[in-house]
Amino acid sequence: MTTSLQDGQSAAGRAAARDSPLAAQVCGAAQGRGDARDLVPAPWLHARALLPPPDGTRGCAADRRKKKDLDVLEMPSIPNPFPELCCSPFTSVLSAGLFPKANSRKKQVIKVYSEDETSRALEVPSDITARDVCQLLILKNHYIDDHSWTLFEHLPHIGLERTIEDHELVIEVLSNWGMEEENKLYFRKNYAKYEFFKNPMYFFPEHMVSFATETNGEISPTQILQMFLSSSTYPEIHGFLHAKEQGKKSWKKIYFLLRRSGLYFSTKGTSKEPRHLQFFSEFGNSDIYVSLAGKKKHGAPTNYGFCFKPNKAGGPRDLKMLCAEEEQSRTCWVTAIRLFKYGMQLYQNYMHPYQGRSGCSSQSISPMRSISENSLVAMDFSGQKSRVIENPTEALSVAVEEGLAWRKKGCLRLGTHGSPTASSQSCATNMAIHRSQPWFHHKISREEAQRLIIQQGLVDGVFLVRDSQSNPKTFVLSMSHGQKIKHFQIIPVEDDGEMFHTLDDGHTRFTDLIQLVEFYQLNKGVLPCKLKHYCARIAL
């Protein structure tokens, strides 16, 4: 076998050895460790085989060669550990095809949590965006996509949270986390994420907005928003904020000024002169976070805190903590900083929510319709043709009449079983049917209700229904309007042995909470606005 290997080399093999000396040497060095059939011998091996041996040693050499051949036949075949180095003689050893191709879309496992602390693990590519992650969770859990689903970055050890913008790369966000930090990604709704594009008047109060150049006439909130998106002009946000002194526990009230170049504070009252302004923070290398427990974690004077945190991992000393007097002021500062930092990118995210990097595009996914105020109208089906009831008074009377008729049918249907307590059982069923609804939250406090509404966005019409803590027999409707949270007590009213629910001292009555909520989704009534979006704790 060895003789045939040495003397039976093909002309193509010898040509490859002459053309590529490095390949022949590598293959010759690996000869003793691999399968002889896969190896190309080196040139010096050919020369040595062709030299005639001395006369006196010819017979001994033949015996030794026969013995070696028998040993080779008896040895087991050993796999070649370098098959890529000993390829066909017609293929260049150093060709680019032998090197492993770089995978630009390496996958990584991330864990996403919901509000009830259930979680789901996802294997995602390295260039996946926050919007793509939301789209995956929407599809996997069969949720309705109304463009309000958002990914949040939660930092529990310092009590901070922020909205991850739709275009941000999730893996880059995770790379900034420390090894020992118990940070989390949360998936929930945020109705206020792009609300400033729809209703800018709620986000930029007149007393907080000024302009670097003189303007002719009054400027509308829409024009202010256009200035934020423009690179040539910009508005200024100004006002007093509480700032935490660096390295200290104390807070100081200072006049701040927000411009496109960064955030500044005045060293002399409310002066805006350049000599009195000092630089506080920029936006390029920092992210804006909202403080969840400012009083408890950082000793803030109010609960409306926010801060600048560097993109790279850093400790609490690197935070630049600020605190506003009210929620509307904090919302204005945070929204303006987002617009200054991302500009037109935010508008593109709002206008084209399906433009992602991981294949979740509008061509592959058709958005599902969500229930809104424009798709809910009062209808009359009593005649031969159906019609839309446009008169609110008529709609109210029809809703009350249908509610009474529906309740009587339910009582009769449940009473046909012959039980003497059928009527009371049907009433109990009507009173408890709301517990299965996503907008009902059983036994949560006033503070917890406010926290849930703030988390899902202070947009007009965001609401939930909960049990009353002061009166166990009543319920409370908590809702958002005008950047504030308002609470309305739902009082039970008894009439001829029958129980009803009302918000207006019995003028409008409903047999259960479902009818009440559906009515005020269609009609404003005594509320400041219609009910639009309910707060729900979803599970992954």
Side-chain angles (χ1 to χ4, degrees):
M1 181 181 295
T2 307
T3 304
S4 63
L5 174 64
Q6 294 175 352
D7 299 333
Q9 177 65 27
S10 65
R14 289 193 297 271
R18 288 194 301 269
D19 295 339
S20 181
L22 176 61
Q25 292 178 15
V26 171
C27 293
Q31 181 183 10
R33 295 186 300 271
D35 192 350
R37 291 172 297 179
D38 298 330
L39 301 179
V40 179
W44 55 266
L45 187 58
H46 292 284
R48 185 177 165 189
L50 295 174
L51 287 175
D55 296 335
T57 59
R58 184 182 302 271
C60 296
D63 295 336
R64 286 196 300 268
R65 189 162 53 247
K66 290 181 181 179
K67 185 177 181 181
K68 189 174 182 180
D69 291 343
L70 293 175
D71 295 336
V72 171
L73 290 172
E74 293 175 358
M75 289 178 60
S77 178
I78 302 175
N80 182 17
F82 307 105
E84 67 276 10
L85 297 179
C86 303
C87 57
S88 171
F90 299 99
T91 307
S92 176
V93 175
L94 301 179
S95 62
L98 294 179
F99 293 97
K101 295 183 179 180
N103 187 5
S104 60
R105 289 174 61 85
K106 293 181 180 179
K107 293 192 175 182
Q108 185 172 335
V109 177
I110 64 173
K111 200 171 186 179
V112 184
Y113 291 81
S114 65
E115 289 174 306
D116 63 350
E117 294 302 324
T118 58
S119 62
R120 186 156 192 164
L122 298 174
E123 187 180 27
V124 297
S126 58
D127 61 344
I128 193 169
T129 63
R131 177 60 195 170
D132 293 335
V133 173
C134 292
Q135 197 66 33
L136 285 175
L137 293 172
I138 290 170
L139 295 176
K140 288 179 178 293
N141 295 279
H142 307 288
Y143 295 143
I144 294 177
D145 186 10
D146 54 1
H147 310 325
S148 62
W149 293 103
T150 310
L151 207 61
F152 289 85
E153 180 187 5
H154 183 69
L155 313 179
H157 63 291
I158 51 180
L160 299 178
E161 188 177 80
R162 78 174 180 101
T163 298
I164 302 178
E165 303 297 345
D166 286 345
H167 65 276
E168 288 190 72
L169 300 181
V170 177
I171 303 303
E172 285 188 4
V173 175
L174 300 182
S175 65
N176 296 329
W177 291 0
M179 294 295 294
E180 298 180 356
E181 297 176 357
E182 297 180 355
N183 302 335
K184 295 180 179 180
L185 293 176
Y186 276 93
F187 173 70
R188 64 170 180 265
K189 288 196 172 187
N190 181 17
Y191 297 107
K193 182 167 60 172
Y194 299 124
E195 185 67 17
F196 52 85
F197 287 119
K198 306 173 186 177
N199 300 302
M201 71 287 296
Y202 295 143
F203 290 82
F204 305 108
E206 293 183 3
H207 66 278
M208 293 184 63
V209 182
S210 61
F211 304 93
T213 58
E214 294 184 1
T215 56
N216 297 326
E218 185 178 353
I219 297 182
S220 65
T222 304
Q223 292 175 320
I224 295 175
L225 186 60
Q226 292 175 353
M227 289 182 178
F228 274 111
L229 301 177
S230 174
S231 58
S232 57
T233 61
Y234 62 91
E236 294 179 344
I237 306 298
H238 59 88
F240 282 95
L241 290 172
H242 298 274
K244 187 177 182 181
E245 298 186 66
Q246 202 73 13
K248 299 181 181 179
K249 294 183 178 181
S250 58
W251 292 71
K252 189 176 181 180
K253 193 172 183 179
I254 309 174
Y255 185 79
F256 279 86
L257 186 67
L258 180 64
R259 292 176 175 174
R260 191 177 295 278
S261 57
L263 182 64
Y264 301 84
F265 66 93
S266 177
T267 58
K268 187 178 181 181
T270 59
S271 175
K272 297 182 182 179
E273 296 183 17
R275 59 188 178 130
H276 295 148
L277 293 180
Q278 288 192 10
F279 182 77
F280 183 79
S281 180
E282 50 86 30
F283 319 131
N285 298 321
S286 300
D287 292 318
I288 185 71
Y289 287 78
V290 171
S291 179
L292 301 178
K295 284 187 174 181
K296 183 178 180 181
K297 290 276 186 180
H298 308 284
T302 68
N303 283 323
Y304 309 111
F306 61 99
C307 81
F308 291 91
K309 181 181 177 298
N311 291 336
K312 302 302 179 182
R317 292 185 178 182
D318 298 327
L319 304 178
K320 295 184 177 181
M321 305 291 300
L322 296 169
C323 185
E325 293 287 349
E326 58 182 0
E327 180 61 41
Q328 186 181 26
S329 175
R330 177 173 71 170
T331 302
C332 179
W333 286 102
V334 173
T335 304
I337 292 170
R338 288 177 61 201
L339 284 169
F340 275 142
K341 181 175 182 179
Y342 300 109
M344 284 299 297
Q345 182 65 58
L346 283 185
Y347 188 70
Q348 293 175 4
N349 295 346
Y350 166 64
M351 294 299 296
H352 308 286
Y354 291 105
Q355 286 188 354
R357 299 193 184 189
S358 301
C360 296
S361 61
S362 57
Q363 287 79 11
S364 60
I365 299 171
S366 57
M368 299 174 64
R369 291 187 59 189
S370 60
I371 298 176
S372 64
E373 58 179 297
N374 297 326
S375 61
L376 294 174
V377 294
M379 300 287 295
D380 179 17
F381 298 98
S382 58
Q384 295 181 352
K385 294 183 179 180
S386 61
R387 66 182 182 90
V388 177
I389 303 176
E390 298 181 354
N391 189 351
T393 305
E394 182 184 1
L396 175 62
S397 61
V398 170
V400 174
E401 184 179 351
E402 286 189 354
L404 292 173
W406 180 83
R407 184 177 181 279
K408 288 180 180 178
K409 289 180 181 179
C411 291
L412 291 174
R413 185 172 62 253
L414 293 173
T416 55
H417 297 287
S419 173
T421 59
S423 178
S424 61
Q425 288 177 356
S426 65
C427 294
T429 302
N430 292 337
M431 298 296 288
I433 195 173
H434 57 269
R435 296 187 182 276
S436 61
Q437 299 303 308
W439 40 258
F440 183 77
H441 298 259
H442 183 56
K443 291 183 179 180
I444 64 171
S445 63
R446 183 189 185 100
E447 292 74 19
E448 180 70 10
Q450 294 182 164
R451 186 187 68 82
L452 285 174
I453 294 177
I454 291 174
Q455 277 187 349
Q456 301 199 11
L458 288 177
V459 177
D460 287 358
V462 176
F463 74 97
L464 60 85
V465 180
R466 57 186 175 88
D467 291 315
S468 175
Q469 288 187 316
S470 58
N471 190 347
K473 295 183 180 181
T474 62
F475 303 96
V476 177
L477 171 66
S478 301
M479 64 176 298
S480 170
H481 179 259
Q483 296 285 311
K484 295 182 180 180
I485 299 176
K486 301 178 180 180
H487 306 272
F488 300 89
Q489 195 168 43
I490 303 174
I491 303 173
V493 177
E494 186 175 357
D495 186 11
D496 294 335
E498 298 179 353
M499 295 298 297
F500 300 93
H501 298 285
T502 181
L503 277 174
D504 53 5
D505 297 329
H507 296 288
T508 310
R509 303 178 183 181
F510 306 93
T511 57
D512 54 59
L513 294 181
I514 296 179
Q515 285 187 348
L516 184 145
V517 169
E518 289 179 348
F519 173 80
Y520 286 106
Q521 284 179 324
L522 298 172
N523 307 277
K524 174 181 173 182
V526 296
L527 300 178
C529 65
K530 298 178 185 178
L531 303 181
K532 297 180 182 179
H533 313 290
Y534 59 82
C535 290
R537 286 177 171 172
I538 57 100
L540 292 178

